[in-house]
Amino acid sequence: MLDFYKGKRVFVTGHTGFKGSWLTKILVMAGAEVYGYSLMPGVNEDIYAEGFKEPSDNENLYDISKVDGSIHSCIGDIRDFEKLRDFFDKAQPEIVFHLAAQPIVRDSYKSPRYTYETNVMGTVNICECVRASSTVRSFLNVTTDKVYQNNEWEWGYREDEKLDGYDPYSNSKSCSELVTHSYINSFFRDKKIAVSTARAGNVIGGGDFARDRIVPDCVRAARSGEKIILRNPDSTRPFQHVLEALSAYLLIGKAQYEDYGKAGYYNVGPNESDAVTAMKIASLFANNWNENIRNCEAESALSGLKPLGIDIHSDGGPHEANYLKLDCSKIKTKLKWAPKWDIDMAIKKTVEWTVLYLEGKGSEAMEQQIEEYFG
């Protein structure tokens, strides 16, 4: 599949974020000509609005990935239409992946207006760029599994279920879907631009430094020698490794480029058995991490670190859905996509990447895992 992207002009919004950095690294390794538009590395996965400080921790996957010199990168806000349009017009892309977003549920309660401006008007802005383009053939808007009205069902949501996210983040992504639907009906269908949305589950993997996410919280606890604190141990989510989601995005981008009829709305998630609780995730991480500590050599970056434990402590935070699953039959049937790494492997690869990163080999670890997954 990656051979398809060799020589293709690809535009990625949010390229300095967690998923964006992995996607950009893959595209560079595939030989694509990549144009990335995003906020400063380390900023776009935190609140970037008046009244909120930029993150003080300068760890970010984009810098770690060492792709900056291999792509055309523009640092800008997705809300700044003029700057976005100028860079987009210079890029003249064939394929567009829209990942730029304010992606944290808790931050959306702190700054709902910024969340809607970024996630809704940001989508309008990139749609306007695509609408005016004479080169784009394939456009994918990456949203979330949280776009659905969550009834706490025990079965997975399908693509034709009602869209109505509860919190400002989830609701803004529902709105982003509706914006995309409108542009398809009003403009893109007539121009034969193939457009899809991808509703992905919770992604995990090496290099996620965001706040209020279970796996980054596990990593921070492990590195600091503290216990993992779980707010909602029974919350069930369709967790998947970041390369799983990105493989689906890349497949959608390719499939609809080659066949307009493949465009549509796709759930992207793990097999049903891998929709697990936060406690399961934390336990798997702790077990993998502690095994690495037990087997580490004296000069290892892990030497001297304490075994990792788990503690449960609800902080009385804002509402978050407790139960969420996806039915991914459509993408499996229509595009022949299927997950490769189960939740055990996803956690193992996350810990593996973290250990190598602590040894100063983060970029090499990305390349190794990309080659292993797509090889």
Side-chain angles (χ1 to χ4, degrees):
M1 176 178 65
L2 295 187
D3 289 345
F4 164 81
Y5 285 92
K6 185 175 182 179
K8 295 289 192 304
R9 298 170 71 89
V10 183
F11 196 94
V12 180
T13 71
H15 72 291
T16 64
F18 170 52
K19 282 199 287 187
S21 295
W22 276 100
L23 177 59
T24 301
K25 186 77 168 180
I26 295 168
L27 289 168
V28 168
M29 291 174 64
E33 185 171 355
V34 183
Y35 292 79
Y37 184 91
S38 185
L39 297 177
M40 288 288 291
V43 174
N44 57 319
E45 294 210 353
D46 291 82
I47 284 295
Y48 186 66
E50 185 177 355
F52 294 88
K53 295 181 179 179
E54 295 182 10
S56 57
D57 188 349
N58 62 3
E59 288 181 303
N60 68 84
L61 186 60
Y62 182 74
D63 287 341
I64 294 166
S65 69
K66 300 179 181 179
V67 297
D68 195 60
S70 303
I71 71 168
H72 309 274
S73 178
C74 180
I75 300 302
D77 194 315
I78 195 68
R79 299 174 297 170
D80 186 342
F81 176 64
E82 297 301 326
K83 187 171 186 176
L84 174 66
R85 183 181 61 183
D86 288 346
F87 186 62
F88 193 95
D89 289 346
K90 292 175 184 176
Q92 295 289 294
E94 302 167 75
I95 302 168
V96 178
F97 294 102
H98 177 46
L99 280 71
Q102 191 300 95
I104 307 296
V105 171
R106 287 197 162 202
D107 284 348
S108 75
Y109 283 106
K110 298 175 187 175
S111 188
R113 184 172 63 86
Y114 170 72
T115 299
Y116 278 100
E117 287 176 349
T118 300
N119 296 352
V120 182
M121 287 309 299
T123 301
V124 172
N125 288 343
I126 192 66
C127 282
E128 278 292 287
C129 291
V130 173
R131 182 172 74 91
S133 171
S134 60
T135 59
V136 175
R137 290 181 54 180
S138 176
F139 170 42
L140 178 67
N141 179 17
V142 174
T143 61
T144 174
D145 57 351
K146 299 175 181 65
V147 297
Y148 296 109
Q149 177 177 294
N150 194 330
N151 298 308
E152 304 282 346
W153 288 331
E154 294 182 0
W155 53 87
Y157 292 88
R158 294 182 176 178
E159 287 84 353
D160 58 357
E161 307 280 4
K162 182 179 180 180
L163 303 179
D164 188 11
Y166 180 99
D167 56 86
Y169 163 69
S170 304
N171 187 265
S172 69
K173 282 296 196 175
S174 302
C175 294
S176 176
E177 287 271 353
L178 294 176
V179 167
T180 308
H181 302 178
S182 176
Y183 268 80
I184 291 171
N185 293 331
S186 301
F187 309 110
F188 298 147
R189 186 173 288 119
D190 290 342
K191 297 187 68 174
K192 288 296 180 181
I193 299 173
V195 181
S196 292
T197 65
R199 303 162 184 174
N202 293 44
V203 296
I204 60 177
D208 188 355
F209 299 103
R211 296 175 288 118
D212 294 325
R213 283 182 179 163
I214 178 63
V215 172
D217 286 348
C218 290
V219 173
R220 279 186 285 269
R223 294 175 65 181
S224 65
E226 300 174 353
K227 289 185 176 182
I228 301 170
I229 304 298
L230 294 182
R231 300 188 304 268
N232 301 297
D234 297 324
S235 290
T236 300
R237 295 288 186 274
F239 290 100
Q240 60 188 324
H241 193 275
V242 61
L243 292 180
E244 298 280 11
L246 295 179
S247 71
Y249 302 166
L250 290 162
L251 178 59
I252 294 168
K254 172 182 181 294
Q256 67 183 17
Y257 182 100
E258 297 175 333
D259 181 353
Y260 179 84
K262 295 294 177 65
Y265 314 118
Y266 293 100
N267 287 338
V268 179
N271 292 320
E272 186 174 352
S273 60
D274 288 326
V276 298
T277 65
M279 175 59 82
K280 175 72 170 180
I281 291 291
S283 298
L284 286 172
F285 187 96
N287 291 339
N288 273 269
W289 184 263
N290 292 341
E291 182 179 353
N292 275 270
I293 289 179
R294 286 192 297 270
N295 297 329
C296 74
E297 299 178 357
E299 65 274 14
S300 167
L302 299 184
S303 62
L305 292 179
K306 297 188 299 184
L308 188 56
I310 301 172
D311 198 5
I312 299 172
H313 176 69
S314 175
D315 59 3
H319 172 275
E320 293 191 48
N322 186 59
Y323 200 85
L324 180 59
K325 283 187 178 182
L326 293 176
D327 183 330
C328 299
S329 301
K330 182 178 178 180
I331 191 171
K332 290 178 179 179
T333 301
K334 192 168 183 178
L335 301 186
K336 309 304 180 186
W337 176 86
K340 291 184 178 181
W341 289 351
D342 63 15
I343 192 61
D344 295 287
M345 182 61 76
I347 292 293
K348 180 180 179 180
K349 290 300 177 184
T350 302
V351 172
E352 177 184 286
W353 186 94
T354 304
V355 172
L356 288 171
Y357 166 63
L358 294 177
E359 295 174 352
K361 302 175 183 177
S363 178
E364 294 86 345
M366 292 179 78
E367 293 170 9
Q368 176 183 316
Q369 292 188 359
I370 289 168
E371 289 173 352
E372 180 179 351
Y373 185 90
F374 289 97

